[in-house]
Amino acid sequence: MTRSDTPAKSTVLVVEDESSIASMLTMALQFMGFDVVTAVCGAEALAQAARHAPDVILLDVVLPDMDGFEVCRRLRETGVQAPVLFVTARDAVSDKIRGLELADDYVTKPFDLNEVVARIRAVMRRGRELVPSNSRRLRAGWVELDRDTREVWRHGQPVQLSSTEFALLRYLLENADQVISKAQMLDNVWSYDFQGESGIVETYIYYLRRKLGDTDQSLIHTVRGAGYLVRSSPPPPVPEG
């Protein structure tokens, strides 16, 4: 483990009720150059997030007062937009899907500290990255994205995306009308080695399609055996409602 690429004065909130795991994460992250604050339950996590405005949150799912999914929902409701990484022993597919719908990443225990740090850096890069461009906004079909304000609209109505969903949609829109492979998405959006876990791309494409109303895949088109293609001018679907 090295200290390279650690953003200066970045704060990590570790929400973990097992003292041994919390201590291990705290020492490792401090060694990497992060400031660390901790919480042992959901209520304390909400208070610490409001007090310290962390740059990233490591959040266990199993907590004594409320589960991590509920903590994540409350964080977003109170305006905390820091990337959230679930770090938990719950490895069921249903838990992973639920976690990724709410947060930016999902790591199962036992974990490798190097991987956790890599994922922290990756979500922070996605959140802070500035894209040089003469145009603030990207458009495709009924979807519009503002790279400066990080806002997204569907049929003119705002859509809430996680930082990972936003980064993936931006990458797809920046490369509209080109076939983008899963490997390219992993390299450019996640920026670390998933060791062949290209299924993460499929999961996030599913989330985007659902949130953007792309039920017939006319916006984000699957190119079998090659990757995905965003059509800049797909036929608009009928708005819901």
Side-chain angles (χ1 to χ4, degrees):
M1 209 185 297
T2 65
R3 297 170 185 253
S4 61
D5 300 326
T6 300
K9 298 181 181 180
S10 296
T11 299
V12 180
L13 171 57
V14 176
V15 186
E16 172 61 67
D17 64 329
E18 292 187 35
S19 59
S20 60
I21 296 177
S23 296
M24 177 182 64
L25 285 169
T26 297
M27 288 188 293
L29 291 170
Q30 287 175 338
F31 173 78
M32 299 299 296
F34 292 98
D35 289 331
V36 180
V37 293
T38 61
V40 298
C41 65
E44 187 179 8
L46 295 171
Q48 292 284 59
R51 184 177 302 119
H52 295 281
D55 296 284
V56 65
I57 300 170
L58 298 186
L59 178 58
D60 194 6
V61 173
V62 181
L63 296 170
D65 54 348
M66 66 184 85
D67 68 33
F69 301 136
E70 178 62 22
V71 175
C72 190
R73 280 192 292 268
R74 294 192 186 188
L75 286 168
R76 297 306 186 228
E77 287 174 359
T78 57
V80 176
Q81 295 301 316
V84 174
L85 286 77
F86 284 114
V87 181
T88 177
R90 290 172 60 167
D91 59 359
V93 173
S94 58
D95 287 325
K96 291 181 180 180
I97 291 174
R98 186 180 180 192
L100 289 170
E101 287 180 327
L102 294 169
D104 299 274
D105 212 336
Y106 195 101
V107 181
T108 56
K109 301 175 183 176
F111 52 80
D112 182 279
L113 281 171
N114 288 304
E115 180 184 6
V116 172
V117 171
R119 294 189 181 216
I120 289 172
R121 288 173 173 163
V123 297
M124 291 181 70
R125 281 196 298 271
R126 293 200 295 272
R128 294 177 173 182
E129 182 184 18
L130 296 177
V131 179
S133 174
N134 293 327
S135 175
R136 294 172 53 194
R137 296 198 175 188
L138 298 168
R139 297 178 179 84
W142 59 92
V143 173
E144 186 173 4
L145 176 150
D146 190 304
R147 288 186 273 202
D148 292 346
T149 66
R150 302 183 65 81
E151 294 175 284
V152 176
W153 298 268
R154 162 189 169 184
H155 296 297
Q157 299 300 312
V159 178
Q160 297 299 316
L161 300 182
S162 70
S163 61
T164 303
E165 291 168 342
F166 179 89
L168 178 57
L169 178 61
R170 183 180 63 190
Y171 182 65
L172 289 168
L173 293 182
E174 287 173 341
N175 295 277
D177 298 315
Q178 300 178 50
V179 176
I180 307 298
S181 70
K182 293 177 184 178
Q184 288 175 302
M185 293 181 196
L186 289 173
D187 287 343
N188 288 277
V189 177
W190 279 267
S191 303
Y192 60 90
D193 185 9
F194 261 89
Q195 298 181 348
E197 294 182 28
S198 61
I200 194 74
V201 173
E202 297 173 359
T203 299
Y204 272 92
I205 290 292
Y206 168 77
Y207 296 155
L208 282 180
R209 283 171 171 161
R210 187 174 62 179
K211 289 187 176 182
L212 299 177
D214 186 27
T215 55
D216 61 355
Q217 301 183 20
S218 59
L219 177 69
I220 305 175
H221 181 66
T222 300
V223 182
R224 192 171 301 278
Y228 297 94
L229 167 69
V230 164
R231 301 191 183 282
S232 56
S233 300
V238 177
E240 295 178 1

